[in-house]
Amino acid sequence: MSQGLTAKPGYRCQTEDTSVEADVYLFNRLRQLTQQERVILASAQDRNTRRLCLTGIEWRYPEAPLEEIRDRFARAVLSEQFPPHFQPIGLDKTMWVQDSISLAQTLHPIFEAADLPYYISGGVASSIHGEARSTRDLDLVIQIQEDQVEALVTALRSAGFYCPDGAVEEVKSFRSKLLNITHTETIANADLYVMEPSPFSQSQMARRRLLPLDGQAGFWLISAEDLILQKLLWRRNSTSEKQWRDILGVLKVQTTLLDYAYLLEWAEQLRILDALNQALLEAG
């Protein structure tokens, strides 16, 4: 292995069929990219996945009208998150392959106009802070009061988003902390999570960062440290290899940029210190 690209004992590759040398080399290259370049990489991967899905449907149903292709594509990309009574509109195929980062840019001015603090988390945040991967939907955490929900839903619907009535009522009464929305033209999907009133949740919102995008509308992004901690919490109740791979990817890319004192302090408070130490070992 090249000098400076050695792996420490306990290092774990992202996939079983990748050699240690290849894995270390890949993340060395990713660390050399700017954040803007990682955003472009993540966006391209997301779009290419959707294009491949669309191409497969067109190949399988060569005689189908465009409306049928659109509806089959919508059900394929949304899968179990296909909303009841959802009806996509439009026949421009270039709109159907919008990536989740573009969706975040679309939603940003809506939340800003409503004066609602939010940040992007989940797979999109993992792709920006760490290793790029495709993701089916966009995860946002929003800080919202009960009397603000109606105005937000009105703004989302005016912008072309489908918001299920039942789910809206659940969120308005705070019986639910999740609102799933789908854009009717691009078939892009997002999960809006109402922020929990906990000290850790408040810390996450306070440490979010505005991500500018080269003259385009940016969006608020969870910090790398808080993303690692959040994914460790999610994984505590599951054995998701995807979550663990995301955690290792962020650690491998961010390395010296992380606030390790913050990570250790909150990991101890959240009782996930053993899991964090294991992730640090496997990330080298």
Side-chain angles (χ1 to χ4, degrees):
M1 192 180 297
S2 301
Q3 186 176 5
L5 297 181
T6 56
K8 295 180 180 179
Y11 185 90
R12 177 176 173 176
C13 299
Q14 298 297 94
T15 60
E16 293 182 357
D17 59 352
T18 302
S19 68
V20 173
E21 291 83 358
D23 198 87
V24 172
Y25 177 79
L26 168 65
F27 280 95
N28 182 62
R29 292 298 302 270
L30 286 176
R31 284 192 293 274
Q32 294 174 19
L33 299 178
T34 66
Q35 192 171 57
Q36 296 285 339
E37 289 171 330
R38 290 201 300 275
V39 168
I40 293 171
L41 182 64
S43 176
Q45 182 159 330
D46 217 9
R47 285 177 181 268
N48 288 339
T49 300
R50 291 172 73 97
R51 285 194 187 97
L52 184 61
C53 176
L54 178 58
T55 300
I57 291 171
E58 291 177 316
W59 176 82
R60 188 174 180 184
Y61 303 98
E63 304 300 325
L66 195 53
E67 291 88 344
E68 181 182 340
I69 296 295
R70 178 196 62 198
D71 293 346
R72 289 185 179 277
F73 176 76
R75 291 189 177 277
V77 297
L78 297 176
S79 188
E80 71 276 0
Q81 289 190 311
F82 190 90
H85 313 300
F86 173 67
Q87 179 56 57
I89 64 172
L91 297 174
D92 183 356
K93 290 190 290 186
T94 62
M95 297 292 290
W96 305 343
V97 293
Q98 176 175 266
D99 58 276
S100 294
I101 289 174
S102 297
L103 177 59
Q105 292 176 271
T106 299
L107 287 168
H108 174 75
I110 297 175
F111 288 106
E112 291 288 283
D115 195 24
L116 293 175
Y118 81 94
Y119 59 79
I120 303 299
S121 186
V124 170
S126 297
S127 293
I128 295 173
H129 285 309
E131 178 189 27
R133 67 170 173 86
S134 60
T135 181
R136 182 171 295 168
D137 53 22
L138 178 70
D139 291 335
L140 302 93
V141 175
I142 61 173
Q143 188 173 7
I144 189 170
Q145 303 301 317
E146 185 176 347
D147 59 0
Q148 295 176 298
V149 174
E150 187 63 42
L152 173 61
V153 170
T154 298
L156 289 169
R157 286 173 172 167
S158 296
F161 287 92
Y162 174 75
C163 309
D165 290 334
V168 170
E169 291 304 316
E170 291 285 316
V171 172
K172 284 173 64 175
S173 62
F174 276 40
R175 294 192 300 271
S176 172
K177 298 285 188 179
L178 169 64
L179 176 62
N180 181 272
I181 63 174
T182 310
H183 196 266
T184 53
E185 188 173 9
T186 63
I187 318 175
N189 188 261
D191 285 331
L192 311 185
Y193 294 91
V194 177
M195 190 184 89
E196 297 285 347
S198 69
F200 179 51
S201 295
Q202 293 169 4
S203 179
Q204 288 175 295
M205 188 63 74
R207 298 179 76 252
R208 65 188 178 137
R209 301 171 185 176
L210 184 62
L211 179 67
L213 293 176
D214 287 340
Q216 303 178 47
F219 48 83
W220 290 97
L221 183 69
I222 189 174
S223 73
E225 295 87 356
D226 288 317
L227 179 63
I228 292 167
L229 292 166
Q230 186 63 66
K231 283 186 170 289
L232 286 171
L233 280 174
W234 287 335
R235 194 176 184 274
R236 184 166 61 182
N237 298 319
S238 72
T239 57
S240 171
E241 283 303 309
K242 181 176 69 174
Q243 298 290 354
W244 193 249
R245 178 170 176 170
D246 284 347
I247 293 165
L248 296 185
V250 175
L251 286 169
K252 290 175 182 179
V253 171
Q254 297 299 318
T255 55
T256 59
L257 301 177
L258 293 169
D259 184 341
Y260 288 96
Y262 178 87
L263 275 172
L264 293 171
E265 177 185 352
W266 274 108
E268 186 171 7
Q269 291 190 44
L270 298 168
R271 300 181 181 180
I272 52 174
L273 185 56
D274 288 346
L276 174 61
N277 286 331
Q278 183 64 33
L280 290 170
L281 174 67
E282 295 186 12

